Amino acid sequence: MNSRFNLLKYLTIVFIIAVSSNLAAQQEIALEDDMRPVWEVGVFAAAFNSPEYPAAGQNQSNVIPSPYFIYRGETLRIGEGSIARAVAIDKSWYELDLSLAGSFNANSEDNEARAGMPDLDFIFELGPQLKLRLAKFEFEQHGKGELFLNLQARAAFSTDFSGLDKRGYVFQPVFSYRQRGWLSEKTALSISLSPTWATEKLHDYFYQVDSDFITDQRSAYDAKGGYLGTDLSVGLSFNATKDIRIFTFARASIHSGAENQESPLFKEKSTYAYGIGMVWRLWESEQKVSGR
């Protein structure tokens, strides 16, 4: 019974990470005024390489397969930009919904800086998001573009499947630009810039060194809340077939000036991530809607 429960929790966390990755992939190809099915069902898969934690000296690779479902109702919307949201007032220039993020666990024995310390568990974040559309663009030969500012505030949690620990809060404004038709009609370009601040609990999780874990190479350190770093991401997606979209992304995380760069666990002022994936739409409704 416990093994089944742990498997269910594991699949739940993997699903959260898959959904958060899938949302970004979905947004890269679609613009607000495009005609889209009321609902669609399909398969999402991605492989990526990313740091084991912010400013880590080592990366890890992961593969995520997951089904996906999108529903674009007048008041209830599922997927494509959030898990689910109820829309009381549909404005073209702003929307309030939920923001979601997640990251895989990391084995400390495989990380030189953290050897002998507790492992880092799965982390997921959930909270409100105010999405503001700042501008729309139309280009004579390169399609359409949109500029957004997303104001995100999320509560962070970690789990090893035996319990759930609260890890403080994250505030992350995201400036994002999306352009469809950059190279061809079905090619989409996305660029985003997102500085991040977090409360002390999350910084403690990544950078604190208590007396029990002091070594000759690792001194004690008391982490503080504040600036965590800034991500610059670039994504490109295109239709391989009518129902299959391919996407790639690369992200540079700049941690210069971060609050805890004196920690012995803070190893790199710049880290990098990259990945590739696909979204395969299997079924969709005949009815189409715009602006959802």
Side-chain angles (χ1 to χ4, degrees), residues 103-114:
S103 60
F104 276 100
N105 61 334
N107 189 336
S108 292
E109 292 306 315
D110 296 332
N111 187 290
E112 294 180 5
R114 295 188 57 87

Side-chain angles (χ1 to χ4, degrees), residues 2 15 74 95 107 112 158 161-162 176 193 218:
N2 287 337
F15 175 74
E74 291 187 9
E95 190 171 286
N107 189 336
E112 294 180 5
S158 67
F161 310 121
S162 64
S176 62
L193 182 69
R218 189 170 57 215

Side-chain angles (χ1 to χ4, degrees), residues 46-64:
F48 57 91
N49 181 276
S50 58
E52 293 190 336
Y53 60 90
Q58 296 172 230
N59 279 28
Q60 63 178 348
S61 297
N62 288 284
V63 177
I64 305 175

Side-chain angles (χ1 to χ4, degrees), residues 41-255:
V41 178
V43 176
F44 165 83
F48 57 91
N49 181 276
S50 58
E52 293 190 336
Y53 60 90
Q58 296 172 230
N59 279 28
Q60 63 178 348
S61 297
N62 288 284
V63 177
I64 305 175
S66 173
Y68 81 85
F69 171 70
I70 293 175
Y71 175 71
R72 304 179 180 97
E74 291 187 9
T75 57
L76 176 64
R77 300 173 193 176
I78 300 172
E80 198 169 53
S82 66
I83 305 175
R85 61 199 190 272
V87 182
I89 302 176
D90 188 6
K91 297 292 186 181
S92 63
W93 60 275
Y94 77 87
E95 190 171 286
L96 182 64
D97 58 28
L98 291 177
S99 168
L100 176 69
S103 60
F104 276 100
N105 61 334
N107 189 336
S108 292
E109 292 306 315
D110 296 332
N111 187 290
E112 294 180 5
R114 295 188 57 87
M117 297 185 68
D119 295 337
L120 295 175
D121 297 330
F122 286 88
I123 293 177
F124 67 93
E125 303 170 8
L126 183 66
Q129 168 183 247
L130 177 61
K131 180 180 175 182
L132 304 171
R133 180 158 64 175
L134 303 180
K136 297 172 63 176
F137 308 94
E138 290 198 26
F139 305 98
E140 186 173 342
Q141 297 181 345
H142 297 286
K144 299 178 180 180
E146 295 173 330
L147 180 64
F148 287 92
L149 170 61
N150 296 352
L151 300 177
Q152 303 174 347
R154 299 187 294 268
F157 303 88
S158 67
T159 181
D160 62 356
F161 310 121
S162 64
L164 189 67
D165 295 305
K166 191 171 183 179
R167 298 296 177 184
Y169 298 91
V170 173
F171 174 67
Q172 185 179 52
V174 181
F175 291 93
S176 62
Y177 174 76
R178 301 201 306 264
Q179 183 174 337
R180 221 267 307 276
W182 178 54
L183 295 176
S184 65
E185 182 183 357
K186 297 299 183 179
T187 302
L189 171 71
S190 65
I191 303 172
S192 67
L193 182 69
S194 54
T196 303
W197 289 263
T199 55
E200 183 175 345
K201 271 193 173 183
L202 189 59
H203 283 273
D204 284 346
Y205 194 59
F206 295 136
Y207 304 120
Q208 179 109 349
V209 180
D210 293 327
S211 58
D212 293 344
F213 305 110
I214 296 174
T215 67
D216 292 339
Q217 293 77 35
R218 189 170 57 215
S219 59
Y221 185 79
D222 182 19
K224 300 173 288 294
Y227 177 61
L228 185 62
T230 296
D231 291 342
L232 175 62
S233 301
V234 178
L236 182 67
S237 61
F238 58 91
N239 281 13
T241 69
K242 177 179 177 293
D243 297 315
I244 297 178
R245 295 193 295 272
I246 304 296
F247 66 91
T248 63
F249 80 91
R251 182 180 71 239
S253 299
I254 311 301
H255 300 284

